[in-house]
Amino acid sequence: FFGWFFGALYILYALQVLRLSTTELGLTIAAGGAGALAGAAAAPILTRRLGPGPAIVAAGFAMALSTFLIPLAGGAPLLAMGFLVAAQLAGDALRTIMTLDPPRLRQAVLAADELGRAAGAFATGQGLAGVAGALIGGALGGLAGPRETLLLAAAGLAATPLIGLASPLWRARGGAAAT
């Protein structure tokens, strides 16, 4: 949900508020790809060390913290770009770690004939939350401003892993280790 606030406002924020050029924005977004590759390499190591549940929660919380760099960016465009590049590198690496373990965990705990329904339910929930987040984030961005709305989104993302701490996910340590 809160991640889609960024989807609705990131380009507007970077171009109009931070005054990045389209080339600078493109380079910034491309840094996320490098971060995702690093996250894919790190995911199996972190999952073996912590277990899949704690790896999901820890990566989610760390990823959320990295998003605070986005609304905190400011100053000259190259300085602001540095904040965004750091957020892209760290955030996309951590998001990749956070996204690789849930399917493995579901495969370890669900019967084979339940996997399709579970995947469909998760995809539907994520899609609905994405639509709602983009609509609400865009509307709030128009009312409160992009920077303020992105700060709210970062706070919402930081609170979300607390659900994982209070759930059985935090105790899911075996059975779905990354290879």
Side-chain angles (χ1 to χ4, degrees), residues 61-85:
F61 186 67
M63 186 268 307
L65 291 179
S66 76
T67 63
F68 280 100
L69 292 171
I70 298 167
L72 295 176
L78 286 178
L79 177 63
M81 181 182 168
F83 275 78
L84 297 185
V85 166

Side-chain angles (χ1 to χ4, degrees), residues 1 9 25 62-63 101 107 109-110 115 123 131 133 135 147 152 163 169 172:
F1 176 76
L9 297 173
L25 176 61
M63 186 268 307
D101 278 333
Q107 289 170 353
V109 299
L110 294 176
L115 290 172
V131 169
L135 291 171
R147 183 184 309 271
L152 173 67
I163 297 166
L169 179 62

Side-chain angles (χ1 to χ4, degrees), residues 110-119:
L110 294 176
D113 63 337
E114 296 173 347
L115 290 172
R117 285 189 302 274

Side-chain angles (χ1 to χ4, degrees), residues 13 29 56 107 122 147 164:
Y13 175 69
I29 293 171
I56 293 166
Q107 289 170 353
F122 274 92
R147 183 184 309 271

Side-chain angles (χ1 to χ4, degrees), residues 123-155:
T124 300
Q126 289 169 342
L128 291 172
V131 169
L135 291 171
I136 293 170
L140 284 175
L143 293 172
R147 183 184 309 271
E148 294 77 8
T149 303
L150 293 174
L151 188 58
L152 173 67

